[in-house]
Amino acid sequence: MGRFTAFRFTVDPSPLQVVVLARHAGASRFAFNQCLALVKEALDARHRGVPVVVPWSGFDLINAFNSWKCSAAAGRRFVVDAAGSVEVVVTGLAWRARVCQQVCEEAAVDLGRGLSAWAESRRGNRPGRRVGFPTFKRKTRTRPSFRIRCKTTKAGRASIRVGDPTAGPRSVCLPRIGILRVREDTRRLRRMIRTGRAHIRYATVSCRAGRWTITVTVQAVDLHPARQHPPRPDTDSSGWVGVDRGLAALVVAADRTGRQVLRVDDAPRPLRAALPRLRRLSRQVSRKQRGSRNRAEAVARLARAHLRVANVRRYFLHEVANRLVKTHDRLVLEDLHTAGLLRNRRLAAAISDAGWADLARIIGYQQRWRGGHAIAAPRWYPSTKMCSACGTVGPALPLSVRIFRCGECGHAADRDVNAAVNLAVWAEEHVQTRDPEVRGPVINASRGDGSGRRPRAGETSPDDGGTPPPRISVTAGTPEKGGVS
């Protein structure tokens, strides 16, 4: 099994199943908050000088929550007999038998990953922005969601089944929840599971804009060799295609010879198209009384409109990424500082509507699936104002200028094509060879450590197996974001 992929289906639940799904989502949120409360209590006790063990990893948090849910702190009952004597009966969580216990365990694992990410970021060992200390989840601001792992019995029956014969092809069966009807066809996933090319790892159920979805994550084999790019020798540095992302044209791709291989001018721009409707629905929400049923219905209508915008954008980005990945095995994109560009109030809406960061992410993992390469050029590489013919760097070009003209050699070209050519040239000059250890090309650049895969907060690490928490001095209560004690 060489890759992880996910299949998302829209659930068509009955009214009783909606209650069951909401109950499991609430149990996941409750377990996360309770585990965080246990961590904070232990940190406060350590700050007072009490020698206690702080549950830090996912394994330790699961054990701590399992011990707490059966204790008197979780629930107790006072029994008074006829003589007037009172007896305390420990019940623990009264509702713990009504939900799947894996939901609480996965919530504890998520908290453990968040704590590890905060600790690594505080030490400076984690790249990217500083990660804050985990906070409690609120019912009104947290998206209902929970995760269940797939276990296999001794008889070989999986706990999560897709297209069960007793329920029909368009169904997903979850433990303790039962059969959930889905709207999309599951034929492709069922075929992969039946032929042994995929194994279900876990299923994530979430609700957004009143619509429940289930995402089945599977570990699948590599793509067929006919669908993968043929391998290139390590000494071959040609074949790179530069991909320039913009607003007038979403994507312009060209090689170093100046041949334009793809140009996408017909981006749907779903946010701009839906902006009048979003404004009208937002005004309807503001006119409703807070806490009323009418306001809740208006908020649901507005959320459904935003969800449609996101779905249209995601579908189009996948189409563009497929067109690039299927035809070219070496792609180079510019490392755009999207968060900084969004500070421009005149272009923030258009940049958000384009989805530049999502497009780069999709191209990256699809190239890995097909055995290709997708790298990022340095953020300060002057691809737009550099002449692709002579290499002269000119002044910055305003967005209104669509034709690049070199003041030295007189070369004229479309500014997007010129930028794409410069990216392709940079890749051929800086990519040296392929390092099998990092599973990616080694870049002769001044910034970063190459294009190898870097760890993220959501990844499973050896710390989830019961590693003791790090020795970090913290103050009482919740540490401040980015603070140093």
Side-chain angles (χ1 to χ4, degrees):
M1 299 295 175
R3 61 192 176 98
F4 284 89
T5 183
F7 294 81
R8 180 181 298 174
F9 306 104
T10 303
V11 183
D12 192 8
S14 63
L16 181 60
Q17 288 179 338
V18 172
V19 176
V20 175
L21 295 177
R23 182 186 301 140
H24 280 75
S28 177
R29 183 182 64 254
F30 176 85
F32 183 92
N33 292 339
Q34 182 57 38
C35 290
L36 182 57
L38 295 176
V39 172
K40 288 190 173 183
E41 290 177 2
L43 290 176
D44 292 341
R46 174 182 290 183
H47 180 71
R48 295 192 300 268
V50 180
V52 295
V53 178
V54 181
W56 199 262
S57 65
F59 185 79
D60 295 337
L61 290 170
I62 290 175
N63 293 335
F65 180 79
N66 290 337
S67 301
W68 175 86
K69 70 180 182 181
C70 299
S71 63
R76 60 185 181 273
R77 185 174 53 189
F78 296 91
V79 180
V80 182
D81 57 8
S85 60
V86 180
E87 181 183 1
V88 179
V89 179
V90 178
T91 60
L93 286 179
W95 49 265
R96 67 177 184 270
R98 303 175 61 184
V99 297
C100 182
Q101 295 305 310
Q102 294 184 25
V103 172
C104 301
E105 295 177 0
E106 293 299 313
V109 171
D110 291 341
L111 177 60
R113 292 172 178 172
L115 293 173
S116 299
W118 171 78
E120 294 295 328
S121 178
R122 182 165 180 163
R123 297 193 194 99
N125 299 332
R126 185 179 186 274
R129 295 185 303 176
R130 295 292 295 271
V131 178
F133 195 83
T135 59
F136 291 105
K137 294 183 178 181
R138 295 182 58 179
K139 181 178 180 180
T140 55
R141 295 187 180 182
T142 303
R143 181 182 304 175
S145 176
F146 62 92
R147 186 172 64 250
I148 298 178
R149 296 189 308 273
C150 182
K151 296 184 177 181
T152 305
T153 61
K154 295 182 179 179
R157 185 178 179 85
S159 59
I160 301 177
R161 299 180 298 276
V162 179
D164 193 89
T166 61
R170 299 194 176 189
S171 64
V172 178
C173 184
L174 300 179
R176 298 301 300 272
I177 297 178
I179 298 173
L180 297 176
R181 303 286 182 179
V182 296
R183 299 181 182 179
E184 293 81 8
D185 191 7
T186 62
R187 181 182 305 174
R188 182 181 178 187
L189 178 56
R190 287 186 286 112
R191 185 186 300 115
M192 294 178 63
I193 297 175
R194 184 177 61 254
T195 56
R197 293 184 292 115
H199 298 288
I200 299 178
R201 293 307 177 192
Y202 54 86
T204 305
V205 182
S206 59
C207 180
R208 182 178 180 183
R211 177 176 297 178
W212 288 91
T213 59
I214 178 170
T215 304
V216 182
T217 303
V218 300
Q219 187 175 3
V221 298
D222 292 333
L223 296 178
H224 193 273
R227 300 182 61 184
Q228 293 188 9
H229 298 298
R232 291 175 179 264
D234 295 341
T235 57
D236 185 9
S237 61
S238 62
W240 288 97
V241 173
V243 180
D244 181 72
R245 292 164 290 173
L247 298 178
L250 177 63
V251 168
V252 175
D255 55 13
R256 71 169 303 163
T257 62
R259 182 175 62 92
Q260 180 177 298
V261 299
L262 178 64
R263 187 181 186 92
V264 180
D265 292 321
D266 55 346
R269 297 178 181 176
L271 180 60
R272 189 176 69 173
L275 201 56
R277 174 176 172 81
L278 294 176
R279 289 172 177 169
R280 176 169 54 84
L281 294 177
S282 299
R283 288 195 297 267
Q284 292 179 5
V285 172
S286 62
R287 292 168 183 168
K288 301 297 187 295
Q289 184 178 0
R290 291 183 178 272
S292 63
R293 184 173 181 179
N294 290 335
R295 184 182 178 89
E297 294 177 354
V299 170
R301 287 193 296 268
L302 179 61
R304 286 193 294 269
H306 279 289
L307 180 61
R308 173 176 171 78
V309 171
N311 291 339
V312 171
R313 181 188 300 115
R314 186 184 303 110
Y315 182 81
F316 182 76
L317 292 179
H318 275 278
E319 284 187 337
V320 175
N322 285 332
R323 293 170 61 183
L324 286 170
V325 172
K326 288 182 179 180
T327 55
H328 305 284
D329 62 336
R330 291 183 171 182
L331 299 175
V332 52
L333 296 86
E334 190 175 6
D335 184 16
L336 298 176
H337 184 34
T338 309
L341 295 174
L342 291 177
R343 298 171 185 170
N344 188 338
R345 62 183 181 88
R346 295 180 177 86
L347 300 176
I351 295 174
S352 301
D353 203 7
W356 290 343
D358 285 343
L359 179 62
R361 178 184 60 85
I362 296 171
I363 291 176
Y365 75 77
Q366 288 192 4
Q367 279 285 45
R368 289 194 297 269
W369 287 357
R370 295 182 176 271
H373 302 283
I375 63 175
R379 181 171 298 175
W380 303 110
Y381 179 68
S383 60
T384 302
K385 57 183 181 180
M386 177 187 293
C387 178
S388 59
C390 64
T392 303
V393 179
L397 296 178
L399 293 178
S400 58
V401 178
R402 307 309 305 172
I403 302 298
F404 174 85
R405 300 183 185 278
C406 180
E408 295 292 333
C409 64
H411 174 71
D414 182 84
R415 63 176 293 164
D416 298 329
V417 175
N418 180 75
V421 172
N422 288 329
L423 292 175
V425 172
W426 176 89
E428 294 189 3
E429 293 178 353
H430 290 77
V431 176
Q432 298 176 346
T433 182
R434 183 175 181 181
D435 190 350
E437 297 297 330
V438 298
R439 302 179 63 184
V442 176
I443 303 175
N444 185 18
S446 57
R447 60 179 298 272
D449 300 326
S451 63
R453 189 166 173 266
R454 296 186 179 183
R456 300 187 213 172
E459 293 181 343
T460 304
S461 65
D463 297 336
D464 294 334
T467 306
R471 289 285 182 177
I472 303 176
S473 59
V474 294
T475 58
T478 304
E480 296 182 358
K481 183 176 182 181
V484 179
S485 57

